[in-house]
Amino acid sequence: MGLDLYYDPGQTPLDDNEIDGLRIPSITTKGELDEFEQNNIEDALQWLAGKKFTAQQVCNENFVCRLHKEMFGQVWRWAGKYRRTEKNLGIKSFQVPIATRTLCDDVLYWVNSATYPPDEISIRFKHRIVSIHCFPNGNGRHSRLLADVIAEKIFHRPPFSWGAVNLSNPSSMRQSYITALRKADQGNYDDLISFARS
């Protein structure tokens, strides 16, 4: 039968080869896929719980990829591996590794030199990593969890609430989030930081 996917505005479609990477053949609907992915994300949160990380351990390509694999590796074979296809969002696929490495170096510098306040560093990392669009799918959820990891593990602040809703589902809160992302695209992070803490 195969996986029957539909995409809400702002979501990234998978190509046929990426869909073939599904580890659980019994999944046939987006609802089932969302449920399995959410269960996998819960496992990733358990993996993170109680662990201590330095800025150097978090701000590197290995951690970026490892976190994605922890979040989605039970569902997708390509979890934690950079995408090789072009998407409706993000940079060209061949640019992903160097752009991710550059971003991690930038964030490590921001942390070590206190270039921005802690929440802004977390949100700037989230915004830039999602604009790179490292992986075939799950980039938004991955970027939000990365921001939480930086806030919690590096700055010892509470994780972000992200409007206290599932931002994968269409809603007025998701629209507010996307509007805040668009402002961040123009260099104004205030609304995105406020949303993340709402």
PDB file of all heavy atoms in Angstrom, residues 27-59:
ATOM      1  N   ILE A  27       3.387   1.549   8.713  1.00  0.00           N
ATOM      2  CA  ILE A  27       2.909   2.932   8.716  1.00  0.00           C
ATOM      3  C   ILE A  27       2.384   3.262   7.319  1.00  0.00           C
ATOM      4  O   ILE A  27       3.106   3.141   6.332  1.00  0.00           O
ATOM      5  CB  ILE A  27       4.043   3.913   9.090  1.00  0.00           C
ATOM      6  CG1 ILE A  27       4.517   3.682  10.529  1.00  0.00           C
ATOM      7  CG2 ILE A  27       3.584   5.359   8.909  1.00  0.00           C
ATOM      8  CD1 ILE A  27       5.704   4.532  10.933  1.00  0.00           C
ATOM      9  N   THR A  28       1.131   3.705   7.251  1.00  0.00           N
ATOM     10  CA  THR A  28       0.543   4.044   5.949  1.00  0.00           C
ATOM     11  C   THR A  28      -0.045   5.449   5.901  1.00  0.00           C
ATOM     12  O   THR A  28      -0.352   5.947   4.821  1.00  0.00           O
ATOM     13  CB  THR A  28      -0.556   3.041   5.562  1.00  0.00           C
ATOM     14  OG1 THR A  28      -1.555   3.033   6.587  1.00  0.00           O
ATOM     15  CG2 THR A  28       0.017   1.642   5.370  1.00  0.00           C
ATOM     16  N   THR A  29      -0.207   6.116   7.058  1.00  0.00           N
ATOM     17  CA  THR A  29      -0.798   7.457   7.065  1.00  0.00           C
ATOM     18  C   THR A  29       0.125   8.443   7.767  1.00  0.00           C
ATOM     19  O   THR A  29       0.995   8.053   8.566  1.00  0.00           O
ATOM     20  CB  THR A  29      -2.149   7.467   7.792  1.00  0.00           C
ATOM     21  OG1 THR A  29      -1.926   7.211   9.194  1.00  0.00           O
ATOM     22  CG2 THR A  29      -3.103   6.425   7.216  1.00  0.00           C
ATOM     23  N   LYS A  30      -0.101   9.717   7.495  1.00  0.00           N
ATOM     24  CA  LYS A  30       0.686  10.762   8.146  1.00  0.00           C
ATOM     25  C   LYS A  30       0.441  10.750   9.653  1.00  0.00           C
ATOM     26  O   LYS A  30       1.357  10.977  10.438  1.00  0.00           O
ATOM     27  CB  LYS A  30       0.369  12.125   7.555  1.00  0.00           C
ATOM     28  CG  LYS A  30       1.278  13.227   8.086  1.00  0.00           C
ATOM     29  CD  LYS A  30       1.111  14.503   7.311  1.00  0.00           C
ATOM     30  CE  LYS A  30       2.090  15.567   7.751  1.00  0.00           C
ATOM     31  NZ  LYS A  30       2.021  15.888   9.188  1.00  0.00           N
ATOM     32  N   GLY A  31      -0.791  10.468  10.057  1.00  0.00           N
ATOM     33  CA  GLY A  31      -1.102  10.398  11.484  1.00  0.00           C
ATOM     34  C   GLY A  31      -0.282   9.326  12.190  1.00  0.00           C
ATOM     35  O   GLY A  31       0.241   9.548  13.282  1.00  0.00           O
ATOM     36  N   GLU A  32      -0.182   8.156  11.563  1.00  0.00           N
ATOM     37  CA  GLU A  32       0.629   7.077  12.139  1.00  0.00           C
ATOM     38  C   GLU A  32       2.106   7.470  12.165  1.00  0.00           C
ATOM     39  O   GLU A  32       2.806   7.232  13.157  1.00  0.00           O
ATOM     40  CB  GLU A  32       0.452   5.791  11.332  1.00  0.00           C
ATOM     41  CG  GLU A  32      -0.924   5.172  11.453  1.00  0.00           C
ATOM     42  CD  GLU A  32      -1.169   4.047  10.460  1.00  0.00           C
ATOM     43  OE1 GLU A  32      -0.390   3.885   9.489  1.00  0.00           O
ATOM     44  OE2 GLU A  32      -2.156   3.329  10.652  1.00  0.00           O
ATOM     45  N   LEU A  33       2.567   8.092  11.088  1.00  0.00           N
ATOM     46  CA  LEU A  33       3.956   8.536  11.027  1.00  0.00           C
ATOM     47  C   LEU A  33       4.244   9.537  12.134  1.00  0.00           C
ATOM     48  O   LEU A  33       5.257   9.425  12.840  1.00  0.00           O
ATOM     49  CB  LEU A  33       4.260   9.149   9.654  1.00  0.00           C
ATOM     50  CG  LEU A  33       5.654   9.731   9.478  1.00  0.00           C
ATOM     51  CD1 LEU A  33       6.722   8.657   9.628  1.00  0.00           C
ATOM     52  CD2 LEU A  33       5.769  10.419   8.110  1.00  0.00           C
ATOM     53  N   ASP A  34       3.349  10.515  12.310  1.00  0.00           N
ATOM     54  CA  ASP A  34       3.538  11.517  13.358  1.00  0.00           C
ATOM     55  C   ASP A  34       3.635  10.867  14.733  1.00  0.00           C
ATOM     56  O   ASP A  34       4.456  11.263  15.565  1.00  0.00           O
ATOM     57  CB  ASP A  34       2.390  12.533  13.345  1.00  0.00           C
ATOM     58  CG  ASP A  34       2.417  13.450  12.127  1.00  0.00           C
ATOM     59  OD1 ASP A  34       3.454  13.509  11.431  1.00  0.00           O
ATOM     60  OD2 ASP A  34       1.385  14.115  11.870  1.00  0.00           O
ATOM     61  N   GLU A  35       2.799   9.853  14.963  1.00  0.00           N
ATOM     62  CA  GLU A  35       2.797   9.173  16.261  1.00  0.00           C
ATOM     63  C   GLU A  35       4.113   8.434  16.510  1.00  0.00           C
ATOM     64  O   GLU A  35       4.703   8.544  17.596  1.00  0.00           O
ATOM     65  CB  GLU A  35       1.622   8.192  16.322  1.00  0.00           C
ATOM     66  CG  GLU A  35       1.469   7.518  17.668  1.00  0.00           C
ATOM     67  CD  GLU A  35       0.277   6.585  17.715  1.00  0.00           C
ATOM     68  OE1 GLU A  35      -0.657   6.722  16.892  1.00  0.00           O
ATOM     69  OE2 GLU A  35       0.285   5.685  18.593  1.00  0.00           O
ATOM     70  N   PHE A  36       4.597   7.706  15.516  1.00  0.00           N
ATOM     71  CA  PHE A  36       5.863   6.984  15.667  1.00  0.00           C
ATOM     72  C   PHE A  36       7.029   7.973  15.839  1.00  0.00           C
ATOM     73  O   PHE A  36       7.934   7.738  16.650  1.00  0.00           O
ATOM     74  CB  PHE A  36       6.112   6.062  14.476  1.00  0.00           C
ATOM     75  CG  PHE A  36       5.461   4.719  14.609  1.00  0.00           C
ATOM     76  CD1 PHE A  36       4.191   4.497  14.092  1.00  0.00           C
ATOM     77  CD2 PHE A  36       6.096   3.681  15.261  1.00  0.00           C
ATOM     78  CE1 PHE A  36       3.579   3.253  14.216  1.00  0.00           C
ATOM     79  CE2 PHE A  36       5.499   2.428  15.392  1.00  0.00           C
ATOM     80  CZ  PHE A  36       4.225   2.218  14.864  1.00  0.00           C
ATOM     81  N   GLU A  37       7.005   9.056  15.069  1.00  0.00           N
ATOM     82  CA  GLU A  37       8.072  10.052  15.214  1.00  0.00           C
ATOM     83  C   GLU A  37       8.039  10.681  16.604  1.00  0.00           C
ATOM     84  O   GLU A  37       9.086  10.883  17.227  1.00  0.00           O
ATOM     85  CB  GLU A  37       7.953  11.127  14.133  1.00  0.00           C
ATOM     86  CG  GLU A  37       8.387  10.648  12.763  1.00  0.00           C
ATOM     87  CD  GLU A  37       8.339  11.724  11.695  1.00  0.00           C
ATOM     88  OE1 GLU A  37       7.596  12.727  11.864  1.00  0.00           O
ATOM     89  OE2 GLU A  37       9.043  11.572  10.693  1.00  0.00           O
ATOM     90  N   GLN A  38       6.851  11.002  17.101  1.00  0.00           N
ATOM     91  CA  GLN A  38       6.752  11.606  18.431  1.00  0.00           C
ATOM     92  C   GLN A  38       7.266  10.656  19.504  1.00  0.00           C
ATOM     93  O   GLN A  38       7.957  11.073  20.436  1.00  0.00           O
ATOM     94  CB  GLN A  38       5.313  12.035  18.732  1.00  0.00           C
ATOM     95  CG  GLN A  38       5.172  12.821  20.038  1.00  0.00           C
ATOM     96  CD  GLN A  38       6.068  14.044  20.104  1.00  0.00           C
ATOM     97  OE1 GLN A  38       6.175  14.805  19.140  1.00  0.00           O
ATOM     98  NE2 GLN A  38       6.736  14.242  21.232  1.00  0.00           N
ATOM     99  N   ASN A  39       6.959   9.366  19.372  1.00  0.00           N
ATOM    100  CA  ASN A  39       7.484   8.383  20.327  1.00  0.00           C
ATOM    101  C   ASN A  39       9.010   8.340  20.278  1.00  0.00           C
ATOM    102  O   ASN A  39       9.676   8.229  21.314  1.00  0.00           O
ATOM    103  CB  ASN A  39       6.913   6.992  20.039  1.00  0.00           C
ATOM    104  CG  ASN A  39       5.443   6.890  20.385  1.00  0.00           C
ATOM    105  OD1 ASN A  39       4.926   7.672  21.177  1.00  0.00           O
ATOM    106  ND2 ASN A  39       4.760   5.929  19.792  1.00  0.00           N
ATOM    107  N   ASN A  40       9.568   8.423  19.084  1.00  0.00           N
ATOM    108  CA  ASN A  40      11.027   8.429  18.919  1.00  0.00           C
ATOM    109  C   ASN A  40      11.621   9.688  19.559  1.00  0.00           C
ATOM    110  O   ASN A  40      12.670   9.638  20.220  1.00  0.00           O
ATOM    111  CB  ASN A  40      11.372   8.345  17.437  1.00  0.00           C
ATOM    112  CG  ASN A  40      12.798   7.906  17.148  1.00  0.00           C
ATOM    113  OD1 ASN A  40      13.108   7.521  16.022  1.00  0.00           O
ATOM    114  ND2 ASN A  40      13.696   7.954  18.125  1.00  0.00           N
ATOM    115  N   ILE A  41      10.947  10.830  19.383  1.00  0.00           N
ATOM    116  CA  ILE A  41      11.422  12.086  19.985  1.00  0.00           C
ATOM    117  C   ILE A  41      11.405  11.979  21.511  1.00  0.00           C
ATOM    118  O   ILE A  41      12.321  12.461  22.186  1.00  0.00           O
ATOM    119  CB  ILE A  41      10.591  13.278  19.475  1.00  0.00           C
ATOM    120  CG1 ILE A  41      10.908  13.527  17.993  1.00  0.00           C
ATOM    121  CG2 ILE A  41      10.866  14.541  20.303  1.00  0.00           C
ATOM    122  CD1 ILE A  41       9.968  14.478  17.284  1.00  0.00           C
ATOM    123  N   GLU A  42      10.377  11.322  22.048  1.00  0.00           N
ATOM    124  CA  GLU A  42      10.331  11.110  23.502  1.00  0.00           C
ATOM    125  C   GLU A  42      11.545  10.306  23.960  1.00  0.00           C
ATOM    126  O   GLU A  42      12.126  10.582  25.015  1.00  0.00           O
ATOM    127  CB  GLU A  42       9.031  10.395  23.904  1.00  0.00           C
ATOM    128  CG  GLU A  42       7.763  11.202  23.664  1.00  0.00           C
ATOM    129  CD  GLU A  42       7.681  12.465  24.493  1.00  0.00           C
ATOM    130  OE1 GLU A  42       8.205  12.480  25.622  1.00  0.00           O
ATOM    131  OE2 GLU A  42       7.089  13.447  24.009  1.00  0.00           O
ATOM    132  N   ASP A  43      11.943   9.306  23.180  1.00  0.00           N
ATOM    133  CA  ASP A  43      13.150   8.532  23.500  1.00  0.00           C
ATOM    134  C   ASP A  43      14.395   9.419  23.459  1.00  0.00           C
ATOM    135  O   ASP A  43      15.302   9.271  24.281  1.00  0.00           O
ATOM    136  CB  ASP A  43      13.309   7.355  22.539  1.00  0.00           C
ATOM    137  CG  ASP A  43      12.262   6.271  22.752  1.00  0.00           C
ATOM    138  OD1 ASP A  43      11.642   6.236  23.844  1.00  0.00           O
ATOM    139  OD2 ASP A  43      12.054   5.459  21.828  1.00  0.00           O
ATOM    140  N   ALA A  44      14.436  10.345  22.490  1.00  0.00           N
ATOM    141  CA  ALA A  44      15.574  11.269  22.407  1.00  0.00           C
ATOM    142  C   ALA A  44      15.631  12.161  23.634  1.00  0.00           C
ATOM    143  O   ALA A  44      16.725  12.452  24.155  1.00  0.00           O
ATOM    144  CB  ALA A  44      15.479  12.114  21.130  1.00  0.00           C
ATOM    145  N   LEU A  45      14.480  12.598  24.119  1.00  0.00           N
ATOM    146  CA  LEU A  45      14.444  13.427  25.332  1.00  0.00           C
ATOM    147  C   LEU A  45      14.965  12.634  26.533  1.00  0.00           C
ATOM    148  O   LEU A  45      15.677  13.189  27.381  1.00  0.00           O
ATOM    149  CB  LEU A  45      13.023  13.938  25.591  1.00  0.00           C
ATOM    150  CG  LEU A  45      12.488  14.935  24.566  1.00  0.00           C
ATOM    151  CD1 LEU A  45      11.009  15.225  24.812  1.00  0.00           C
ATOM    152  CD2 LEU A  45      13.295  16.231  24.592  1.00  0.00           C
ATOM    153  N   GLN A  46      14.629  11.336  26.585  1.00  0.00           N
ATOM    154  CA  GLN A  46      15.163  10.480  27.645  1.00  0.00           C
ATOM    155  C   GLN A  46      16.680  10.350  27.524  1.00  0.00           C
ATOM    156  O   GLN A  46      17.389  10.330  28.528  1.00  0.00           O
ATOM    157  CB  GLN A  46      14.506   9.092  27.592  1.00  0.00           C
ATOM    158  CG  GLN A  46      13.063   9.085  28.052  1.00  0.00           C
ATOM    159  CD  GLN A  46      12.925   9.524  29.493  1.00  0.00           C
ATOM    160  OE1 GLN A  46      13.671   9.085  30.365  1.00  0.00           O
ATOM    161  NE2 GLN A  46      11.977  10.417  29.759  1.00  0.00           N
ATOM    162  N   TRP A  47      17.165  10.243  26.288  1.00  0.00           N
ATOM    163  CA  TRP A  47      18.614  10.148  26.054  1.00  0.00           C
ATOM    164  C   TRP A  47      19.316  11.404  26.557  1.00  0.00           C
ATOM    165  O   TRP A  47      20.404  11.334  27.146  1.00  0.00           O
ATOM    166  CB  TRP A  47      18.875   9.933  24.563  1.00  0.00           C
ATOM    167  CG  TRP A  47      20.310  10.003  24.167  1.00  0.00           C
ATOM    168  CD1 TRP A  47      21.277   9.071  24.405  1.00  0.00           C
ATOM    169  CD2 TRP A  47      20.961  11.080  23.472  1.00  0.00           C
ATOM    170  NE1 TRP A  47      22.492   9.501  23.898  1.00  0.00           N
ATOM    171  CE2 TRP A  47      22.318  10.729  23.316  1.00  0.00           C
ATOM    172  CE3 TRP A  47      20.516  12.306  22.962  1.00  0.00           C
ATOM    173  CZ2 TRP A  47      23.241  11.561  22.685  1.00  0.00           C
ATOM    174  CZ3 TRP A  47      21.431  13.126  22.324  1.00  0.00           C
ATOM    175  CH2 TRP A  47      22.776  12.757  22.196  1.00  0.00           C
ATOM    176  N   LEU A  48      18.688  12.561  26.360  1.00  0.00           N
ATOM    177  CA  LEU A  48      19.293  13.827  26.791  1.00  0.00           C
ATOM    178  C   LEU A  48      19.210  14.038  28.300  1.00  0.00           C
ATOM    179  O   LEU A  48      20.083  14.689  28.882  1.00  0.00           O
ATOM    180  CB  LEU A  48      18.583  15.004  26.113  1.00  0.00           C
ATOM    181  CG  LEU A  48      18.892  15.262  24.652  1.00  0.00           C
ATOM    182  CD1 LEU A  48      17.895  16.254  24.072  1.00  0.00           C
ATOM    183  CD2 LEU A  48      20.317  15.778  24.473  1.00  0.00           C
ATOM    184  N   ALA A  49      18.174  13.496  28.928  1.00  0.00           N
ATOM    185  CA  ALA A  49      17.903  13.773  30.342  1.00  0.00           C
ATOM    186  C   ALA A  49      19.091  13.389  31.216  1.00  0.00           C
ATOM    187  O   ALA A  49      19.635  12.308  31.101  1.00  0.00           O
ATOM    188  CB  ALA A  49      16.657  13.018  30.785  1.00  0.00           C
ATOM    189  N   GLY A  50      19.475  14.322  32.060  1.00  0.00           N
ATOM    190  CA  GLY A  50      20.544  14.054  33.007  1.00  0.00           C
ATOM    191  C   GLY A  50      21.945  14.148  32.439  1.00  0.00           C
ATOM    192  O   GLY A  50      22.921  14.097  33.184  1.00  0.00           O
ATOM    193  N   LYS A  51      22.069  14.256  31.124  1.00  0.00           N
ATOM    194  CA  LYS A  51      23.403  14.367  30.529  1.00  0.00           C
ATOM    195  C   LYS A  51      23.905  15.798  30.643  1.00  0.00           C
ATOM    196  O   LYS A  51      23.140  16.755  30.567  1.00  0.00           O
ATOM    197  CB  LYS A  51      23.368  13.966  29.050  1.00  0.00           C
ATOM    198  CG  LYS A  51      23.311  12.476  28.809  1.00  0.00           C
ATOM    199  CD  LYS A  51      23.502  12.168  27.335  1.00  0.00           C
ATOM    200  CE  LYS A  51      23.701  10.699  27.079  1.00  0.00           C
ATOM    201  NZ  LYS A  51      22.649   9.833  27.553  1.00  0.00           N
ATOM    202  N   LYS A  52      25.209  15.922  30.819  1.00  0.00           N
ATOM    203  CA  LYS A  52      25.847  17.240  30.832  1.00  0.00           C
ATOM    204  C   LYS A  52      26.667  17.381  29.567  1.00  0.00           C
ATOM    205  O   LYS A  52      27.329  16.428  29.142  1.00  0.00           O
ATOM    206  CB  LYS A  52      26.724  17.391  32.064  1.00  0.00           C
ATOM    207  CG  LYS A  52      25.941  17.395  33.352  1.00  0.00           C
ATOM    208  CD  LYS A  52      26.828  17.640  34.543  1.00  0.00           C
ATOM    209  CE  LYS A  52      25.978  17.684  35.810  1.00  0.00           C
ATOM    210  NZ  LYS A  52      26.773  17.947  36.996  1.00  0.00           N
ATOM    211  N   PHE A  53      26.598  18.548  28.972  1.00  0.00           N
ATOM    212  CA  PHE A  53      27.348  18.832  27.753  1.00  0.00           C
ATOM    213  C   PHE A  53      28.031  20.181  27.884  1.00  0.00           C
ATOM    214  O   PHE A  53      27.476  21.109  28.461  1.00  0.00           O
ATOM    215  CB  PHE A  53      26.426  18.889  26.529  1.00  0.00           C
ATOM    216  CG  PHE A  53      25.745  17.609  26.189  1.00  0.00           C
ATOM    217  CD1 PHE A  53      24.416  17.403  26.508  1.00  0.00           C
ATOM    218  CD2 PHE A  53      26.429  16.594  25.528  1.00  0.00           C
ATOM    219  CE1 PHE A  53      23.773  16.223  26.177  1.00  0.00           C
ATOM    220  CE2 PHE A  53      25.795  15.405  25.191  1.00  0.00           C
ATOM    221  CZ  PHE A  53      24.467  15.223  25.518  1.00  0.00           C
ATOM    222  N   THR A  54      29.213  20.276  27.322  1.00  0.00           N
ATOM    223  CA  THR A  54      29.876  21.572  27.208  1.00  0.00           C
ATOM    224  C   THR A  54      29.437  22.219  25.894  1.00  0.00           C
ATOM    225  O   THR A  54      28.877  21.545  25.010  1.00  0.00           O
ATOM    226  CB  THR A  54      31.405  21.410  27.185  1.00  0.00           C
ATOM    227  OG1 THR A  54      31.764  20.685  25.990  1.00  0.00           O
ATOM    228  CG2 THR A  54      31.906  20.670  28.416  1.00  0.00           C
ATOM    229  N   ALA A  55      29.726  23.509  25.756  1.00  0.00           N
ATOM    230  CA  ALA A  55      29.409  24.202  24.505  1.00  0.00           C
ATOM    231  C   ALA A  55      30.130  23.527  23.339  1.00  0.00           C
ATOM    232  O   ALA A  55      29.562  23.364  22.253  1.00  0.00           O
ATOM    233  CB  ALA A  55      29.809  25.677  24.608  1.00  0.00           C
ATOM    234  N   GLN A  56      31.357  23.107  23.561  1.00  0.00           N
ATOM    235  CA  GLN A  56      32.131  22.458  22.495  1.00  0.00           C
ATOM    236  C   GLN A  56      31.504  21.125  22.066  1.00  0.00           C
ATOM    237  O   GLN A  56      31.533  20.773  20.900  1.00  0.00           O
ATOM    238  CB  GLN A  56      33.564  22.228  22.974  1.00  0.00           C
ATOM    239  CG  GLN A  56      34.503  21.857  21.862  1.00  0.00           C
ATOM    240  CD  GLN A  56      35.769  22.695  21.898  1.00  0.00           C
ATOM    241  OE1 GLN A  56      36.060  23.339  22.886  1.00  0.00           O
ATOM    242  NE2 GLN A  56      36.515  22.685  20.824  1.00  0.00           N
ATOM    243  N   GLN A  57      30.919  20.409  23.010  1.00  0.00           N
ATOM    244  CA  GLN A  57      30.278  19.136  22.682  1.00  0.00           C
ATOM    245  C   GLN A  57      28.983  19.325  21.899  1.00  0.00           C
ATOM    246  O   GLN A  57      28.628  18.487  21.075  1.00  0.00           O
ATOM    247  CB  GLN A  57      29.987  18.351  23.966  1.00  0.00           C
ATOM    248  CG  GLN A  57      31.233  17.807  24.633  1.00  0.00           C
ATOM    249  CD  GLN A  57      30.943  17.229  25.996  1.00  0.00           C
ATOM    250  OE1 GLN A  57      30.205  17.817  26.800  1.00  0.00           O
ATOM    251  NE2 GLN A  57      31.516  16.067  26.282  1.00  0.00           N
ATOM    252  N   VAL A  58      28.274  20.416  22.143  1.00  0.00           N
ATOM    253  CA  VAL A  58      26.998  20.672  21.469  1.00  0.00           C
ATOM    254  C   VAL A  58      27.202  21.373  20.128  1.00  0.00           C
ATOM    255  O   VAL A  58      26.523  21.054  19.146  1.00  0.00           O
ATOM    256  CB  VAL A  58      26.067  21.509  22.374  1.00  0.00           C
ATOM    257  CG1 VAL A  58      24.834  21.984  21.613  1.00  0.00           C
ATOM    258  CG2 VAL A  58      25.661  20.711  23.608  1.00  0.00           C
ATOM    259  N   CYS A  59      28.126  22.310  20.086  1.00  0.00           N
ATOM    260  CA  CYS A  59      28.308  23.150  18.892  1.00  0.00           C
ATOM    261  C   CYS A  59      29.278  22.487  17.914  1.00  0.00           C
ATOM    262  O   CYS A  59      30.370  23.005  17.640  1.00  0.00           O
ATOM    263  CB  CYS A  59      28.802  24.540  19.288  1.00  0.00           C
ATOM    264  SG  CYS A  59      27.680  25.392  20.382  1.00  0.00           S
TER     265      CYS A  59
END
